[in-house]
């Protein structure tokens, strides 16, 4: 009997090309863009209304998120319970989200009931009432969630890192218990009226939809004047190197964040830096994982990542370690960065990482929803339309000299923001 030798990794090979599906683009009569991918095998269709406003545009922390969430808490014709019952009746699901740059309403609905569920979205978008009782219940839940999160060192570290990285910048707004205790509902209504409905948005549609679905979108959303305002001018960021310790005296572990602002997706060096970050801490076999988890046993996991927002991109290393081990962990983090700056990566390791990165993208392209997500990334970051078509070519062209150069240029340890949340050892 032949047994599989699990000490020998399987042979990897390059991916020749991604199975990309190019969305079709339509316009409603008001010029609102609708991007579609027809997938006959997908009976649950997904429709996303993506608005180009988010936390960056908000006057207060969480303002865009709360305004978006409250849309489904009552309309001129339905209570929150009636909205939920109507969604459930047709086997649909509604997701309301807002992040730093966008506010998104997503409807998952059986294709045969889309004509029933699309009007519900129009109702919550055009006729919300922001009822006082539901607002009070919503705020109580947010207060409880924040109280729970403030007991977690990972939350405290992430919060302090963002505040320090984006000090005096729209991305750096931090929600406090004091604000939540008296959060003004009029600011939520103001965001809805003056920003959400007044800025450009697009619709993304995937699944086994019929022409009737497109007609329903025309019937219910073409009456909204479409605003295609020019891109906002981003505030310039001035990164500052700082070390921050957030004390939590009863903690059994310390959470670490180390990072800085870097170049964005549109920069010619971005792919090289992405490869560099992946080598350092972007997958389970990374250098940080091998050193700090496997060899020294200081953590269950440690990762580095490039986080992209529309107007800023940052590099960050995240981990949780034993309180008495956090200083050793920080020393090893900086050591691994310096090794990348001083020694060329081997061709074997480089090829393994590039194949991993290619495979990760390929694994995300298993259905129409995932394919459409790539299109939304292109729109958000104003990337070339062939960005993912040329992804593999750009990835496989990265060499060891490139990795060395970007590590030296963009990962200067003296410019890092370092945040520790937890307990200082005695």
């Amino acid at each position: 009997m032949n047994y599989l030798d699990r000490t020998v990794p399987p042979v990897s090979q390059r991916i020749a090309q991604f199975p990309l599906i190019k969305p079709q683009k339509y316009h409603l009569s008001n010029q609102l863009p609708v991007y579609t991918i027809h997938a006959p095998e997908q009976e649950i269709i997904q429709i996303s209304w993506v608005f180009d406003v988010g936390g960056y545009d908000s006057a207060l922390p969480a303002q865009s998120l709360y305004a978006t969430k409250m849309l489904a808490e009552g309309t001129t014709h339905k209570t929150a319970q009636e909205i939920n019952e109507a969604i459930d009746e047709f086997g649909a699901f509604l997701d309301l989200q807002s992040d730093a740059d966008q506010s998104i309403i997503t409807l998952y609905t059986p294709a045969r009931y889309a004509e029933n569920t699309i009007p519900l979205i129009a109702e919550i978008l055009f006729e919300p009432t922001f009822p006082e009782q539901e607002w009070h219940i919503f705020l109580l839940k947010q207060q409880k969630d924040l109280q729970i999160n403030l007991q977690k060192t990972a939350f405290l570290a992430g919060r302090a890192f963002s505040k320090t990285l984006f000090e005096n910048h729209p991305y750096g707004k931090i929600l406090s218990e004091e604000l939540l205790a008296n959060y003004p509902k009029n600011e939520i209504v103001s965001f809805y009226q003056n920003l959400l409905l007044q800025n450009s948005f697009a619709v993304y549609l995937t699944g086994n939809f019929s022409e009737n679905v497109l007609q329903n979108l025309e019937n219910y959303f073409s009456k909204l004047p479409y605003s295609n305002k020019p891109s906002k001018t981003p505030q310039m960021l001035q990164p500052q190197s700082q070390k921050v310790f957030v004390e939590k005296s009863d903690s059994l572990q310390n959470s670490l964040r180390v990072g800085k602002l870097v170049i964005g997706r549109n920069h010619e060096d971005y792919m090289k830096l992405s490869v560099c970050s992946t080598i350092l801490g972007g997958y389970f076999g990374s250098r940080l994982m091998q050193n700090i988890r496997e060899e020294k046993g200081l953590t269950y996991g440690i990762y580095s990542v490039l986080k992209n927002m529309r107007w800023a991109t940052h590099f960050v290393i995240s981990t949780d370690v034993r309180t008495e081990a956090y200083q050793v962990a920080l020393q090893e983090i900086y050591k691994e960065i310096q090794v990348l700056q001083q020694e060329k990566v081997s061709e074997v390791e480089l090829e393994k990482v590039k194949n991993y990165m290619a495979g990760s993208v390929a694994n995300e392209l298993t259905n129409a929803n995932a394919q459409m997500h790539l299109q939304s990334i292109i729109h958000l970051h104003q990337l070339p339309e062939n960005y993912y078509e040329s992804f593999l070519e750009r990835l496989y062209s990265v060499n060891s000299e490139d990795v060395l150069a970007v590590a030296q240029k963009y990962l200067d340890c003296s410019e890092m923001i370092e945040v520790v949340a937890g307990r200082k050892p005695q």
Side-chain angles (χ1 to χ4, degrees):
M1 180 179 295
N2 293 326
Y3 292 96
L4 178 65
D5 186 352
R6 297 188 182 276
T7 65
V8 179
V11 177
S12 63
Q13 61 184 18
R14 291 189 169 189
I15 296 174
Q17 62 182 25
F18 292 140
L20 295 171
I21 302 173
K22 188 173 180 62
Q24 297 295 310
K25 184 177 181 180
Y26 301 89
H27 286 94
L28 304 185
S29 58
N30 61 347
Q31 295 307 302
L32 173 68
V34 179
Y35 298 89
T36 70
I37 295 179
H38 189 256
E41 73 284 357
Q42 188 176 307
E43 284 302 322
I44 301 297
I45 66 173
Q46 175 182 306
I47 314 175
S48 294
W49 291 258
V50 180
F51 297 80
D52 284 334
V53 287
Y56 180 95
D57 310 275
S58 302
L60 296 175
Q63 185 181 7
S64 64
L65 177 63
Y66 291 178
T68 306
K69 292 283 190 184
M70 283 296 297
L71 292 176
E73 295 300 321
T75 68
T76 53
H77 303 290
K78 291 183 178 66
T79 64
Q81 181 177 344
E82 289 171 336
I83 292 171
N84 289 330
E85 289 175 349
I87 293 291
D88 289 343
E89 178 184 357
F90 297 107
F93 178 77
L94 180 62
D95 185 36
L96 303 167
Q97 296 294 335
S98 183
D99 58 25
D101 298 302
Q102 297 177 319
S103 299
I104 305 173
I105 302 172
T106 301
L107 173 68
Y108 301 90
T109 180
R112 62 185 182 278
Y113 295 133
E115 294 180 36
N116 303 99
T117 52
I118 289 175
L120 289 171
I121 304 303
E123 185 173 332
I124 68 169
L125 179 58
F126 299 132
E127 302 178 70
T129 55
F130 304 96
E132 195 65 38
Q133 182 177 356
E134 277 69 19
W135 171 242
H136 178 69
I137 294 171
F138 178 83
L139 274 188
L140 287 177
K141 183 180 183 305
Q142 300 308 310
Q143 290 171 20
K144 183 175 288 292
D145 288 346
L146 182 58
Q147 289 170 0
I148 292 171
N149 283 330
L150 287 173
Q151 301 305 309
K152 302 174 182 177
T153 57
F155 178 83
L156 294 172
R159 171 187 172 99
F161 181 79
S162 294
K163 182 179 180 180
T164 307
L165 185 69
F166 296 115
E167 187 174 9
N168 300 319
H169 185 272
Y171 285 146
K173 293 186 282 287
I174 300 297
L175 186 64
S176 67
E177 291 182 286
E178 293 74 22
L179 176 59
L180 263 182
N182 297 284
Y183 206 109
K185 191 183 82 169
N186 65 297
E187 292 290 347
I188 301 303
V189 177
S190 174
F191 181 91
Y192 163 74
Q193 293 176 338
N194 300 321
L195 289 173
L196 193 69
L197 289 184
Q198 301 302 319
N199 275 272
S200 62
F201 73 103
V203 178
Y204 299 86
L205 168 64
T206 57
N208 190 24
F209 58 87
S210 65
E211 288 296 322
N212 288 338
V213 171
L214 294 173
Q215 185 59 52
N216 268 266
L217 291 174
E218 169 69 27
N219 293 343
Y220 288 98
F221 297 96
S222 63
K223 57 188 176 185
L224 180 68
Y226 174 62
S227 171
N228 189 13
K229 294 183 178 180
S231 297
K232 294 161 282 195
T233 302
Q235 286 187 240
M236 296 303 295
L237 300 169
Q238 297 298 330
Q240 298 178 354
S241 175
Q242 295 186 49
K243 292 186 177 182
V244 179
F245 198 103
V246 183
E247 182 74 33
K248 192 174 189 307
S249 58
D250 61 345
S251 177
L252 299 178
Q253 68 175 21
N254 285 11
S255 295
L256 315 181
R257 300 291 184 273
V258 176
K260 64 186 293 288
L261 293 168
V262 292
I263 54 177
R265 290 181 186 268
N266 271 305
H267 196 283
E268 62 181 2
D269 286 342
Y270 181 82
M271 181 62 79
K272 302 169 188 176
L273 184 59
S274 184
V275 172
C276 180
S277 174
T278 306
I279 292 170
L280 180 64
Y283 71 116
F284 196 77
S286 71
R287 294 185 177 188
L288 287 174
M289 192 72 83
Q290 290 298 312
N291 180 340
I292 296 176
R293 173 192 158 102
E294 298 298 327
E295 295 176 13
K296 295 184 174 58
L298 303 182
T299 183
Y300 285 110
I302 180 168
Y303 298 94
S304 64
V305 66
L306 299 178
K307 292 194 173 182
N308 295 277
M309 292 171 280
R310 173 173 282 161
W311 305 120
T313 297
H314 64 275
F315 162 83
V316 62
I317 297 169
S318 306
T319 191
D320 301 317
V321 300
R322 303 190 311 274
T323 54
E324 66 275 10
Y326 85 90
Q327 290 171 319
V328 175
L330 286 171
Q331 291 171 3
E332 294 302 316
I333 286 171
Y334 290 121
K335 187 189 85 171
E336 292 296 344
I337 294 174
Q338 289 164 356
V339 169
L340 274 174
Q341 295 169 332
Q342 296 165 1
E343 301 175 10
K344 289 183 182 180
V345 60
S346 72
E347 291 302 321
V348 172
E349 183 180 12
L350 181 58
E351 186 70 11
K352 178 175 68 173
V353 166
K354 289 194 285 189
N355 286 337
Y356 167 80
M357 293 175 65
S360 296
V361 175
N363 285 339
E364 296 174 1
L365 302 177
T366 56
N367 58 53
N369 295 348
Q371 294 268 355
M372 187 63 85
H373 178 64
L374 299 186
Q375 189 70 29
S376 68
I377 291 175
I378 288 173
H379 294 163
L380 173 62
H381 297 288
Q382 300 174 5
L383 302 172
E385 284 297 323
N386 70 340
Y387 182 81
Y388 285 100
E389 293 172 5
S390 64
F391 183 94
L392 291 172
E393 179 183 353
R394 287 180 285 115
L395 173 63
Y396 289 132
S397 70
V398 177
N399 58 45
S400 58
E401 288 82 5
D402 294 329
V403 174
L404 185 70
V406 294
Q408 294 170 349
K409 186 174 182 179
Y410 300 111
L411 301 184
D412 187 337
C413 293
S414 68
E415 298 176 350
M416 296 289 179
I417 290 172
E418 177 187 302
V419 175
V420 180
R423 175 170 57 87
K424 291 184 178 180
Q426 299 299 320

